Amino acid sequence: MADFILEMRNITKRFPGVIALNDVNLNVKRGEIHALCGENGAGKSTLMKILSGVYPHGSYEGEIVINGEEQRFGGIRESEKAGVSIIYQELELIKELDVGENIFLGIQPLKMGTIDWNRLYFDTRKLLQDVGLDIDPGIKIKDLGVGQQQLVEIAKALRKKTDILVLDEPTAALTEHEIELLMKILHDLKNKGITCIYISHKLNEMFRIADSITVLRDGKSIATHKLNEVDEPKVVSLMVGRELEERFPKKEHSPKEVVFELRNFTVYDTEYQDIAIIENVSLSLRKGEIVGVFGLMGAGRTELVSSIFGAFGGKKNGSVLVHGKAVEIHEPRDAIVSGMGLLSEDRKRYGLIINQSVSSNMTLASLDRICDFGRINSSKEFYLTGEYVKDLDIKVRSLDSKVSSLSGGNQQKVVLGKWLMTSPDILFLDEPTRGIDVGAKYEIYNLMNKLVDQGVAIMMISSELPEILGMSDRILVMHAGRFSGEFLYGEATQEKIMYYATGGE
Amino acid sequence: MPVDNSDVQEKKRGMLPAAFRSNIMAYTMVFALIGIWVILFILTGGTFLTPRNLAMLFRQTSMIAILSLGMVLVIISGNIDLSVGSVLGLCGTVAGILQVWYKWAFLPTLIVTILIGIVIGFWQGFWIAYMRVPSFIVTLAGLMIFRGVILGMTKSVMIGPMIDEFKLIGQSYLSHTVGWVIAALAIIFIIYRTIAGRGSRKKYNLKLAAAYVDLLKVILISILFVGFVTIMNLYGGVPTPVLILIGLAVVVHFISTKTKFGRSVYAVGGNREATRLSGINTRKVTLFVFVLVGFLCSIVGIILTARLNAATSSAGNMMEMDTIAACVLGGASLMGGIGSIPGAICGALVMASIDNGMSLMNMEYYWQYVAKGLILIFVVCADISTKKSE
C-alpha cells in the first residue's frame, strides 16, 4: 500500500528476561505528523532504535516496510540511506565544534581534497534558514541554548535526504517560545512533504500538531487514532490503561507559619559579575503550602533556587531566613543543615550517581543517619532505604540495582527519596516531573500533597503551565530575574500567567 | 589471600554497596589469576607453586599491593597519581639518610619518614582539590619534582647499610607461632562479624541467609587462612611485608566500604556535582585521598629500603605504572566511581606473578614488560566485552 510511507509490522524485540516489544504495529501515512506516545518504558525508544538500525535486522522479529519495500537495516547508515533520520532526546551534537562543522560532520564538502569551508558555511546558512534559525554558522554548539541546538539537529537531519524525521521528546527542555517555533517549523516541513514521527509526553503539543496518534503500553501497540477522533483524557487513559479522573490531585492545604524567607536577594552572573540575573527578590514560604514558580527560559528560576541552596557560582546579596533566623549559606551542606532540600532540574547531571545503587544514592545526603560511631551500618542502610522505597512506591528489583536500570520516573523518585531522608522543612523542586510519564507524574503530585500535609514547605519550579495551575497554592511568575506577578490558586489562568511571564506589567 | 576471601564472602551475603558489587571483574580476575598460575606452574615444571616461591611471590606482591590500596581510591575518586614511585623513592631515601648519615634511631626515623609521606600527600592534594589543577598534571609534576629531590639528596650515591631493626621490616618472617595466632584471631573475628551481621539484619527485619550458608562460608574462609599460613610456614613463615599489607588492606577496605569518607570517594568519582549538591565536601574528600596515598607511599618506601638494605636514587622507578595497571586489572574504572580494594590486590598479585614466573623461567627481563602490557589489554578487553553482552 503506497498510502503508508512506513509500516512496522508485528515487531517483537526480546532482551534477556524481558520482552520489550510484543507484536507492535506502526503505520505512518505519507506526509503526516504521527504522534507516538506511551509511558516511559512502553517501548517507544526501542521501536525507534529498530527503525534506525541500532538494533539490526535479525535481532528482532517482524518487518519494516518503507515505501512498500521491505527493509533490512544492518546499521544506522543503512536506515539513513533509506531516508530515516532520528533526533534523540539527548542531543548528539559535538559541543566544541561549531554549527557548520556539526551539520556537515563526516560529509564535509571538499575542494582538491581539503574541506571547502566557504561552501560548508554557505550551505549551513541556507539550512539554518529552513529551520528559522538566525545565527552565525561559525558559533560553537556550547554557546547555543538547548532550543537552538534542537533546531541545529533538525537542520542536520534536513541536510541528509530525509523522508521520515523522528523526534524523540523534542520539547522536553524547550521554553514555550521555542516550542512555538518548533511547531511552526514542523508544520513547514510537513508542507514540504516530510513525514514526521513525534514522540512526546506533552499531550497538548500533540493535539496541536499531529494528524494521528499511536499509543504504546507495556510493549504493545494499543491503538492508532486520527487525532480529531480522540481527546486528551481518552489518550491518557489509553496510555495508562485507566481513566484519570483528574490529572492533578489538588488538595486543600492549610498553610501555617512562615518557615522560609528571602529578603532583597540579588544574584550576579558567574562570568559578568556586574550583571544581576536575580534582582532584589523577596519571598516567603509557609509551612504546609506549595508555591509554584513559573517563568520562561532565562527568567532565572533555576539560578534563584540553586543560589539559595549555595550551589550557584555567582556572587549574591540579601538575606535568607529559616524559621525567622538569618542563615549564611555558602555550600549546599549549609543549606541541608538548615533544613532545605533541592531536587535539581537535571537528575542525571545533578541528582544521581548513575552507575551506583539505589541505596547508596538514597543515603548520600544523610550518611550520618546510617552510621554507628562512624561505621556505616549496612543493615540500617537497607532498612531505611527499604522504608523509603516502599513509601514512594519505587519499582526496583533490589536495593542494589543500579539507578541507571530504572525508568525516568523511578529515578526521579530515588532523588526525591534522597531528600526526604534528610527530613527537610523546605523542599525546592526544580522541574520535578520533567521527562517522566503520566502515571509517575501523578504519583509525584500525590507525594507532594502528602509532604505538605506533613508540614513541609514546597517551592516548585515548572515550565508546564497546567502543572503550576493544578498543584500550587500560590503562584509566582518570574520574568527577567524578578517576580512579575503573584496569584492564589483559583485566581490564575494560563493567559494571565503567560502575560506576566512574557514581561507584562 | 585472606582479605580477598573476606570480600567474596561479603559479596555473597549481598551487603555491599553496588559500586562494589558491580565489580564483576574481581571474579574475572580470580579466574585469570588461577589461569596464570596454572600456566606458570606448567611452564616452570612445578617450581612456581613451591612454598618457597609462593613466599617470594607474596613478598614481591606486597609493595605494589600496598600502593594500589591508595591508588585504587584515587582512581575511584576520578583522579590519577603518577607520582607514587617518586614519592616512595623519596621517603625511602629519607629513611636511609636519617639512619646512615645522621645516625637516627629506629623509631624517630620511621615517624619522620611517614610524616614526610603525609606532608607530600597534603601538598599534592592541596593543588588538586583546592587549586583545581588536574591530578594528572600535579602528580606528573610530582613525579619529576620528587625524583629530582632524591637525586639532589643522594648525589646518586647508594646509601647503606641500614640498622638491624629497620632491615627486619623488609626482610624478616613471622615466627610460625605468631602466624598461627594471627590466623586464629582472624578466624575468630570473621565468626564474630558473621554473627553480629546476622543479629543486625534480624534487628532490622531484613532477609537472612540460611544459617548453613554462612557456616559454609566461615569454614571456607578458615580453610583458606589455615592453608595460607601452613604454606608460608613450610618455607620460613609469613613475610613481614605481607603482614603489613594484610593489616593495611583490612583498614583501607573498611574505610572504603564502611565509612562516610569511603562512600564519598565513590560518590565523588561517580558524579562530583551531584555529590556536592548532596552536602558532601568534595574537596576535602579529594584532599584526604591523596593524603592516604602519601602515607602508603612512605610505608612502601620504608619496606623497599629495608629490603634492599640501601636507599638508591632509582628506587620506585616505574612502580606507579605497575600500580595503576594493578588497579585497572582489578576492575577500577579510570572514569571514576568504580573499583575495589580486593580487586586491586588481585591485580597486584597478577602483575607480581608474571614478574616472578618469567624470571623463574630465566626469560630475559624485557619480556616481563611486554607480557604485562599485553595482559593489561586482554583483561580490560575481556571485561568490556562481558559488560557489553549483559
Side-chain angles (χ1 to χ4, degrees), chain A residues 309 311 332-333 336 348-350 352-353 356-357 364-365 367-368 375-381 383 400 418-419, chain B residues 15 18 21-22 193 200-201 204 206 258-260 263 266-267 270-271 273-274 276-281 337-338:
Chain A
F309 202 69
R333 65 178 170 283
I336 294 169
K348 282 191 185 142
R349 261 175 82 188
Y350 302 121
L352 294 168
I353 299 168
Q356 290 184 11
S357 72
L364 189 60
L367 286 172
D368 285 326
R375 172 180 173 276
I376 290 176
N377 182 333
S378 316
S379 310
K380 211 187 232 178
E381 176 178 20
Y383 171 77
D400 300 328
K418 172 169 86 176
W419 290 113
Chain B
M15 283 176 52
R21 194 175 308 102
S22 64
R193 276 307 311 154
S200 162
R201 286 180 79 81
Y204 287 102
L206 300 173
K258 293 287 180 188
T259 65
K260 256 181 93 167
R263 259 324 153 77
Y266 278 94
N271 185 342
E273 205 44 35
R276 190 173 79 91
L277 286 172
S278 299
I280 285 167
N281 189 340
I338 297 172

Short mmCIF file of all heavy atoms in Angstrom, two decimals, chain A residues 309 311 332-333 336 348-350 352-353 356-357 364-365 367-368 375-381 383 400 418-419, chain B residues 15 18 21-22 193 200-201 204 206 258-260 263 266-267 270-271 273-274 276-281 337-338:
data_model
loop_
_atom_site.label_atom_id
_atom_site.label_comp_id
_atom_site.label_asym_id
_atom_site.label_seq_id
_atom_site.Cartn_x
_atom_site.Cartn_y
_atom_site.Cartn_z
N PHE A 309 20.39 27.68 47.52
CA PHE A 309 20.92 26.43 48.05
C PHE A 309 22.45 26.42 48.16
O PHE A 309 23.04 25.47 48.64
CB PHE A 309 20.46 25.29 47.13
CG PHE A 309 20.45 23.95 47.79
CD1 PHE A 309 19.53 23.65 48.78
CD2 PHE A 309 21.36 22.97 47.41
CE1 PHE A 309 19.52 22.41 49.39
CE2 PHE A 309 21.35 21.72 48.02
CZ PHE A 309 20.43 21.44 49.00
N ALA A 311 24.53 26.47 45.60
CA ALA A 311 25.11 25.66 44.54
C ALA A 311 25.49 26.48 43.32
O ALA A 311 26.05 25.96 42.38
CB ALA A 311 24.13 24.56 44.13
N PRO A 332 26.18 23.80 49.53
CA PRO A 332 24.94 23.05 49.70
C PRO A 332 24.78 22.44 51.10
O PRO A 332 23.69 22.39 51.64
CB PRO A 332 25.04 21.97 48.63
CG PRO A 332 25.85 22.58 47.56
CD PRO A 332 26.83 23.47 48.25
N ARG A 333 25.91 22.03 51.70
CA ARG A 333 25.72 21.39 53.01
C ARG A 333 25.20 22.37 54.07
O ARG A 333 24.52 21.96 54.99
CB ARG A 333 26.98 20.67 53.48
CG ARG A 333 28.16 21.53 53.76
CD ARG A 333 29.33 20.68 54.27
NE ARG A 333 30.53 21.48 54.30
CZ ARG A 333 31.25 21.79 53.23
NH1 ARG A 333 30.90 21.33 52.06
NH2 ARG A 333 32.32 22.55 53.33
N ILE A 336 21.52 22.22 53.60
CA ILE A 336 20.95 20.96 54.09
C ILE A 336 20.84 21.00 55.61
O ILE A 336 19.83 20.61 56.18
CB ILE A 336 21.80 19.76 53.62
CG1 ILE A 336 21.74 19.65 52.10
CG2 ILE A 336 21.34 18.47 54.27
CD1 ILE A 336 22.72 18.68 51.50
N LYS A 348 20.13 13.51 35.98
CA LYS A 348 21.33 12.73 35.66
C LYS A 348 22.59 13.52 35.95
O LYS A 348 23.60 12.95 36.34
CB LYS A 348 21.31 12.30 34.20
CG LYS A 348 20.37 11.12 34.02
CD LYS A 348 20.49 10.46 32.68
CE LYS A 348 19.44 9.39 32.56
NZ LYS A 348 18.87 9.32 31.22
N ARG A 349 22.54 14.82 35.76
CA ARG A 349 23.74 15.61 35.99
C ARG A 349 23.90 16.01 37.45
O ARG A 349 24.99 16.00 37.99
CB ARG A 349 23.70 16.88 35.14
CG ARG A 349 24.52 16.75 33.89
CD ARG A 349 24.35 17.96 33.02
NE ARG A 349 25.20 19.07 33.44
CZ ARG A 349 25.09 20.28 32.91
NH1 ARG A 349 24.17 20.51 31.99
NH2 ARG A 349 25.88 21.25 33.30
N TYR A 350 22.80 16.37 38.09
CA TYR A 350 22.91 16.95 39.43
C TYR A 350 22.28 16.11 40.52
O TYR A 350 22.42 16.43 41.69
CB TYR A 350 22.28 18.35 39.44
CG TYR A 350 22.90 19.28 38.46
CD1 TYR A 350 22.15 19.88 37.46
CD2 TYR A 350 24.25 19.57 38.52
CE1 TYR A 350 22.73 20.75 36.55
CE2 TYR A 350 24.85 20.43 37.61
CZ TYR A 350 24.07 21.01 36.63
OH TYR A 350 24.65 21.86 35.74
N LEU A 352 21.77 12.24 40.44
CA LEU A 352 22.07 10.84 40.63
C LEU A 352 23.52 10.51 40.35
O LEU A 352 24.18 11.17 39.57
CB LEU A 352 21.21 10.00 39.67
CG LEU A 352 19.71 10.02 39.91
CD1 LEU A 352 19.00 9.39 38.72
CD2 LEU A 352 19.36 9.29 41.19
N ILE A 353 23.98 9.45 41.01
CA ILE A 353 25.23 8.83 40.61
C ILE A 353 24.80 7.60 39.86
O ILE A 353 24.42 6.59 40.43
CB ILE A 353 26.10 8.52 41.83
CG1 ILE A 353 26.38 9.84 42.54
CG2 ILE A 353 27.38 7.85 41.40
CD1 ILE A 353 26.97 9.67 43.88
N GLN A 356 25.68 3.85 40.32
CA GLN A 356 25.68 3.28 41.66
C GLN A 356 24.27 2.87 42.07
O GLN A 356 23.30 3.15 41.38
CB GLN A 356 26.33 4.26 42.64
CG GLN A 356 27.83 4.34 42.36
CD GLN A 356 28.60 5.21 43.34
OE1 GLN A 356 28.09 5.60 44.36
NE2 GLN A 356 29.84 5.49 42.99
N SER A 357 24.19 2.20 43.21
CA SER A 357 22.94 1.54 43.56
C SER A 357 21.88 2.50 44.09
O SER A 357 22.17 3.63 44.46
CB SER A 357 23.20 0.47 44.62
OG SER A 357 23.48 1.10 45.84
N LEU A 364 22.95 9.15 50.27
CA LEU A 364 24.12 10.02 50.10
C LEU A 364 24.06 11.33 50.89
O LEU A 364 25.05 11.79 51.42
CB LEU A 364 24.31 10.33 48.61
CG LEU A 364 25.60 11.05 48.24
CD1 LEU A 364 26.81 10.22 48.64
CD2 LEU A 364 25.64 11.34 46.76
N ALA A 365 22.85 11.90 50.99
CA ALA A 365 22.76 13.19 51.68
C ALA A 365 22.54 13.02 53.18
O ALA A 365 22.47 13.99 53.91
CB ALA A 365 21.65 14.04 51.07
N LEU A 367 24.21 10.38 55.24
CA LEU A 367 25.05 9.26 55.68
C LEU A 367 25.14 9.18 57.21
O LEU A 367 25.27 8.11 57.76
CB LEU A 367 26.45 9.40 55.08
CG LEU A 367 26.53 9.06 53.58
CD1 LEU A 367 27.90 9.40 53.01
CD2 LEU A 367 26.25 7.58 53.35
N ASP A 368 25.03 10.34 57.88
CA ASP A 368 25.09 10.30 59.35
C ASP A 368 24.00 9.44 59.94
O ASP A 368 24.16 8.82 60.99
CB ASP A 368 24.99 11.72 59.91
CG ASP A 368 26.29 12.47 59.72
OD1 ASP A 368 27.36 11.82 59.79
OD2 ASP A 368 26.25 13.69 59.49
N ARG A 375 30.85 4.16 61.63
CA ARG A 375 30.85 2.99 60.77
C ARG A 375 29.47 2.85 60.13
O ARG A 375 28.45 2.87 60.82
CB ARG A 375 31.16 1.74 61.60
CG ARG A 375 31.01 0.44 60.84
CD ARG A 375 31.34 -0.74 61.75
NE ARG A 375 31.03 -1.98 61.06
CZ ARG A 375 29.83 -2.55 61.02
NH1 ARG A 375 28.81 -1.98 61.64
NH2 ARG A 375 29.64 -3.67 60.38
N ILE A 376 29.45 2.72 58.81
CA ILE A 376 28.17 2.55 58.13
C ILE A 376 27.56 1.20 58.50
O ILE A 376 28.20 0.17 58.36
CB ILE A 376 28.34 2.66 56.61
CG1 ILE A 376 28.67 4.11 56.23
CG2 ILE A 376 27.08 2.21 55.88
CD1 ILE A 376 28.95 4.32 54.78
N ASN A 377 26.35 1.26 58.98
CA ASN A 377 25.66 0.02 59.35
C ASN A 377 24.79 -0.39 58.15
O ASN A 377 23.75 0.19 57.89
CB ASN A 377 24.80 0.30 60.58
CG ASN A 377 24.09 -0.94 61.05
OD1 ASN A 377 23.82 -1.85 60.27
ND2 ASN A 377 23.79 -0.99 62.34
N SER A 378 25.27 -1.41 57.43
CA SER A 378 24.58 -1.80 56.19
C SER A 378 23.14 -2.21 56.43
O SER A 378 22.26 -1.93 55.63
CB SER A 378 25.30 -2.96 55.51
OG SER A 378 26.67 -2.76 55.53
N SER A 379 22.90 -2.87 57.56
CA SER A 379 21.53 -3.30 57.83
C SER A 379 20.62 -2.09 57.99
O SER A 379 19.52 -2.05 57.46
CB SER A 379 21.47 -4.13 59.09
OG SER A 379 22.44 -5.12 59.05
N LYS A 380 21.13 -1.10 58.73
CA LYS A 380 20.34 0.11 58.94
C LYS A 380 20.09 0.78 57.60
O LYS A 380 19.00 1.26 57.32
CB LYS A 380 21.14 1.05 59.86
CG LYS A 380 20.28 1.93 60.75
CD LYS A 380 21.18 2.93 61.45
CE LYS A 380 20.95 2.92 62.95
NZ LYS A 380 21.86 3.87 63.64
N GLU A 381 21.14 0.81 56.76
CA GLU A 381 21.03 1.44 55.45
C GLU A 381 19.94 0.77 54.62
O GLU A 381 19.08 1.44 54.05
CB GLU A 381 22.37 1.36 54.71
CG GLU A 381 22.30 1.92 53.29
CD GLU A 381 23.63 1.89 52.58
OE1 GLU A 381 24.52 1.12 53.00
OE2 GLU A 381 23.77 2.63 51.61
N TYR A 383 17.51 -1.13 55.66
CA TYR A 383 16.20 -0.98 56.30
C TYR A 383 15.59 0.38 55.94
O TYR A 383 14.47 0.47 55.46
CB TYR A 383 16.37 -1.13 57.81
CG TYR A 383 15.12 -0.78 58.57
CD1 TYR A 383 14.05 -1.69 58.63
CD2 TYR A 383 15.01 0.44 59.22
CE1 TYR A 383 12.90 -1.37 59.31
CE2 TYR A 383 13.86 0.77 59.90
CZ TYR A 383 12.80 -0.13 59.95
OH TYR A 383 11.66 0.19 60.62
N ASP A 400 20.04 -2.99 45.50
CA ASP A 400 21.37 -2.93 44.92
C ASP A 400 21.35 -2.58 43.45
O ASP A 400 22.40 -2.39 42.84
CB ASP A 400 22.06 -4.29 45.03
CG ASP A 400 22.19 -4.72 46.46
OD1 ASP A 400 22.33 -3.84 47.31
OD2 ASP A 400 22.13 -5.93 46.71
N LYS A 418 16.09 10.60 48.35
CA LYS A 418 17.34 11.08 48.95
C LYS A 418 17.06 12.31 49.80
O LYS A 418 17.56 12.44 50.91
CB LYS A 418 18.34 11.41 47.84
CG LYS A 418 19.60 12.09 48.34
CD LYS A 418 20.65 12.15 47.26
CE LYS A 418 20.48 13.37 46.38
NZ LYS A 418 21.55 13.50 45.38
N TRP A 419 16.24 13.22 49.27
CA TRP A 419 15.98 14.46 50.02
C TRP A 419 15.03 14.23 51.18
O TRP A 419 15.20 14.82 52.24
CB TRP A 419 15.47 15.55 49.07
CG TRP A 419 16.58 15.98 48.19
CD1 TRP A 419 16.68 15.80 46.84
CD2 TRP A 419 17.81 16.57 48.60
NE1 TRP A 419 17.89 16.26 46.39
CE2 TRP A 419 18.60 16.74 47.44
CE3 TRP A 419 18.33 16.98 49.83
CZ2 TRP A 419 19.87 17.29 47.48
CZ3 TRP A 419 19.59 17.54 49.86
CH2 TRP A 419 20.34 17.69 48.71
N MET B 15 25.69 -7.56 51.01
CA MET B 15 25.53 -6.41 51.90
C MET B 15 26.36 -5.22 51.47
O MET B 15 26.39 -4.21 52.13
CB MET B 15 25.95 -6.80 53.31
CG MET B 15 24.91 -7.63 54.01
SD MET B 15 25.47 -8.15 55.62
CE MET B 15 25.97 -6.63 56.34
N ALA B 18 26.54 -1.14 45.72
CA ALA B 18 26.57 -1.67 44.37
C ALA B 18 27.87 -1.36 43.64
O ALA B 18 28.36 -2.16 42.88
CB ALA B 18 25.40 -1.13 43.57
N ARG B 21 29.84 -4.14 44.39
CA ARG B 21 29.40 -5.45 43.96
C ARG B 21 29.40 -5.56 42.45
O ARG B 21 29.58 -6.62 41.89
CB ARG B 21 28.01 -5.74 44.51
CG ARG B 21 27.64 -7.19 44.40
CD ARG B 21 26.31 -7.46 45.06
NE ARG B 21 26.27 -6.95 46.42
CZ ARG B 21 25.66 -5.85 46.77
NH1 ARG B 21 25.02 -5.16 45.87
NH2 ARG B 21 25.67 -5.44 48.00
N SER B 22 29.16 -4.43 41.80
CA SER B 22 29.04 -4.43 40.35
C SER B 22 30.34 -4.89 39.72
O SER B 22 30.43 -5.16 38.55
CB SER B 22 28.76 -3.01 39.87
OG SER B 22 29.86 -2.20 40.19
N ARG B 193 32.00 -11.33 63.23
CA ARG B 193 31.33 -10.44 62.27
C ARG B 193 30.09 -11.10 61.66
O ARG B 193 29.07 -10.47 61.45
CB ARG B 193 32.28 -10.03 61.14
CG ARG B 193 33.20 -8.86 61.42
CD ARG B 193 32.49 -7.62 61.90
NE ARG B 193 31.35 -7.28 61.07
CZ ARG B 193 30.29 -6.60 61.48
NH1 ARG B 193 30.22 -6.18 62.72
NH2 ARG B 193 29.32 -6.35 60.66
N SER B 200 22.28 -8.02 63.42
CA SER B 200 21.87 -6.69 62.98
C SER B 200 20.78 -6.78 61.91
O SER B 200 19.82 -6.02 61.91
CB SER B 200 23.12 -5.97 62.45
OG SER B 200 22.76 -4.89 61.66
N ARG B 201 20.93 -7.76 61.00
CA ARG B 201 19.90 -7.91 59.97
C ARG B 201 18.57 -8.32 60.59
O ARG B 201 17.51 -7.90 60.14
CB ARG B 201 20.35 -8.91 58.90
CG ARG B 201 21.42 -8.35 57.98
CD ARG B 201 21.86 -9.32 56.93
NE ARG B 201 20.91 -9.40 55.81
CZ ARG B 201 20.88 -8.53 54.80
NH1 ARG B 201 21.70 -7.51 54.80
NH2 ARG B 201 20.03 -8.68 53.82
N TYR B 204 16.72 -5.39 62.05
CA TYR B 204 16.05 -4.52 61.09
C TYR B 204 15.11 -5.29 60.18
O TYR B 204 14.68 -4.79 59.15
CB TYR B 204 17.08 -3.76 60.26
CG TYR B 204 17.76 -2.69 61.06
CD1 TYR B 204 19.03 -2.89 61.55
CD2 TYR B 204 17.09 -1.50 61.34
CE1 TYR B 204 19.64 -1.91 62.30
CE2 TYR B 204 17.70 -0.52 62.09
CZ TYR B 204 18.97 -0.73 62.57
OH TYR B 204 19.57 0.24 63.31
N LEU B 206 15.51 -7.67 58.07
CA LEU B 206 15.92 -7.92 56.69
C LEU B 206 16.02 -9.42 56.47
O LEU B 206 16.12 -10.20 57.41
CB LEU B 206 17.27 -7.26 56.42
CG LEU B 206 17.32 -5.74 56.60
CD1 LEU B 206 18.74 -5.24 56.46
CD2 LEU B 206 16.41 -5.05 55.59
N LYS B 258 32.87 1.11 54.59
CA LYS B 258 32.05 1.26 55.79
C LYS B 258 32.12 2.63 56.44
O LYS B 258 31.71 2.78 57.59
CB LYS B 258 32.50 0.21 56.83
CG LYS B 258 32.20 -1.22 56.42
CD LYS B 258 30.72 -1.50 56.52
CE LYS B 258 30.43 -2.92 56.13
NZ LYS B 258 28.99 -3.18 56.04
N THR B 259 32.71 3.59 55.76
CA THR B 259 32.73 4.92 56.38
C THR B 259 32.15 5.96 55.43
O THR B 259 32.07 5.74 54.22
CB THR B 259 34.18 5.36 56.73
OG1 THR B 259 34.91 5.52 55.51
CG2 THR B 259 34.87 4.36 57.62
N LYS B 260 31.77 7.07 56.01
CA LYS B 260 31.26 8.20 55.23
C LYS B 260 32.29 8.62 54.19
O LYS B 260 31.95 8.90 53.04
CB LYS B 260 31.01 9.40 56.16
CG LYS B 260 29.58 9.62 56.48
CD LYS B 260 29.44 10.84 57.39
CE LYS B 260 29.21 12.10 56.58
NZ LYS B 260 28.77 13.23 57.43
N ARG B 263 32.36 6.15 51.24
CA ARG B 263 31.18 6.38 50.41
C ARG B 263 31.35 7.62 49.55
O ARG B 263 31.00 7.65 48.38
CB ARG B 263 29.98 6.62 51.31
CG ARG B 263 29.02 5.52 51.55
CD ARG B 263 28.81 4.65 50.38
NE ARG B 263 28.42 3.36 50.86
CZ ARG B 263 27.21 3.07 51.32
NH1 ARG B 263 26.28 3.98 51.31
NH2 ARG B 263 26.95 1.87 51.76
N TYR B 266 33.59 7.15 46.44
CA TYR B 266 32.86 6.55 45.32
C TYR B 266 31.91 7.58 44.69
O TYR B 266 31.79 7.68 43.48
CB TYR B 266 32.04 5.35 45.79
CG TYR B 266 32.84 4.07 45.90
CD1 TYR B 266 33.41 3.69 47.10
CD2 TYR B 266 33.01 3.24 44.79
CE1 TYR B 266 34.16 2.53 47.20
CE2 TYR B 266 33.74 2.08 44.88
CZ TYR B 266 34.32 1.72 46.09
OH TYR B 266 35.04 0.57 46.18
N ALA B 267 31.25 8.34 45.55
CA ALA B 267 30.26 9.30 45.05
C ALA B 267 30.92 10.41 44.24
O ALA B 267 30.46 10.77 43.16
CB ALA B 267 29.47 9.88 46.21
N GLY B 270 31.80 9.11 40.96
CA GLY B 270 30.62 8.78 40.15
C GLY B 270 29.95 10.03 39.58
O GLY B 270 29.52 10.04 38.43
N ASN B 271 29.84 11.08 40.38
CA ASN B 271 29.24 12.33 39.92
C ASN B 271 29.56 13.42 40.93
O ASN B 271 28.90 13.55 41.96
CB ASN B 271 27.72 12.16 39.77
CG ASN B 271 27.06 13.39 39.16
OD1 ASN B 271 27.64 14.48 39.16
ND2 ASN B 271 25.86 13.23 38.65
N GLU B 273 29.30 16.68 40.90
CA GLU B 273 28.35 17.76 41.13
C GLU B 273 27.19 17.28 42.00
O GLU B 273 26.79 17.95 42.95
CB GLU B 273 27.85 18.27 39.77
CG GLU B 273 27.36 19.69 39.74
CD GLU B 273 28.21 20.69 40.47
OE1 GLU B 273 29.45 20.55 40.48
OE2 GLU B 273 27.63 21.63 41.05
N ALA B 274 26.67 16.09 41.68
CA ALA B 274 25.56 15.57 42.49
C ALA B 274 26.01 15.33 43.92
O ALA B 274 25.24 15.51 44.86
CB ALA B 274 25.04 14.27 41.88
N ARG B 276 28.35 17.04 45.56
CA ARG B 276 28.44 18.34 46.23
C ARG B 276 27.05 18.84 46.62
O ARG B 276 26.83 19.32 47.71
CB ARG B 276 29.10 19.35 45.29
CG ARG B 276 29.48 20.66 45.95
CD ARG B 276 30.29 21.50 44.99
NE ARG B 276 29.43 22.17 44.02
CZ ARG B 276 28.91 23.39 44.21
NH1 ARG B 276 29.17 24.04 45.32
NH2 ARG B 276 28.15 23.93 43.30
N LEU B 277 26.09 18.64 45.70
CA LEU B 277 24.73 19.08 45.98
C LEU B 277 24.08 18.26 47.10
O LEU B 277 23.08 18.66 47.66
CB LEU B 277 23.87 19.00 44.72
CG LEU B 277 24.15 20.08 43.69
CD1 LEU B 277 23.41 19.80 42.40
CD2 LEU B 277 23.74 21.44 44.23
N SER B 278 24.65 17.10 47.38
CA SER B 278 24.12 16.30 48.49
C SER B 278 24.78 16.68 49.80
O SER B 278 24.64 15.98 50.80
CB SER B 278 24.33 14.81 48.22
OG SER B 278 23.64 14.44 47.05
N GLY B 279 25.55 17.75 49.79
CA GLY B 279 26.09 18.26 51.04
C GLY B 279 27.43 17.68 51.43
O GLY B 279 27.83 17.78 52.59
N ILE B 280 28.12 17.05 50.50
CA ILE B 280 29.42 16.45 50.84
C ILE B 280 30.53 17.40 50.40
O ILE B 280 30.48 17.97 49.32
CB ILE B 280 29.55 15.06 50.19
CG1 ILE B 280 28.67 14.08 50.98
CG2 ILE B 280 31.00 14.59 50.19
CD1 ILE B 280 28.44 12.79 50.32
N ASN B 281 31.53 17.54 51.27
CA ASN B 281 32.66 18.42 50.97
C ASN B 281 33.61 17.69 50.03
O ASN B 281 34.53 17.00 50.46
CB ASN B 281 33.36 18.80 52.28
CG ASN B 281 34.39 19.87 52.06
OD1 ASN B 281 34.86 20.09 50.94
ND2 ASN B 281 34.76 20.56 53.13
N GLY B 337 34.49 6.28 40.11
CA GLY B 337 33.27 5.70 40.67
C GLY B 337 33.26 4.19 40.81
O GLY B 337 32.43 3.65 41.53
N ILE B 338 34.17 3.50 40.12
CA ILE B 338 34.14 2.04 40.15
C ILE B 338 35.52 1.50 40.48
O ILE B 338 36.52 1.97 39.94
CB ILE B 338 33.68 1.48 38.78
CG1 ILE B 338 32.26 1.92 38.50
CG2 ILE B 338 33.79 -0.04 38.74
CD1 ILE B 338 31.78 1.60 37.11
#
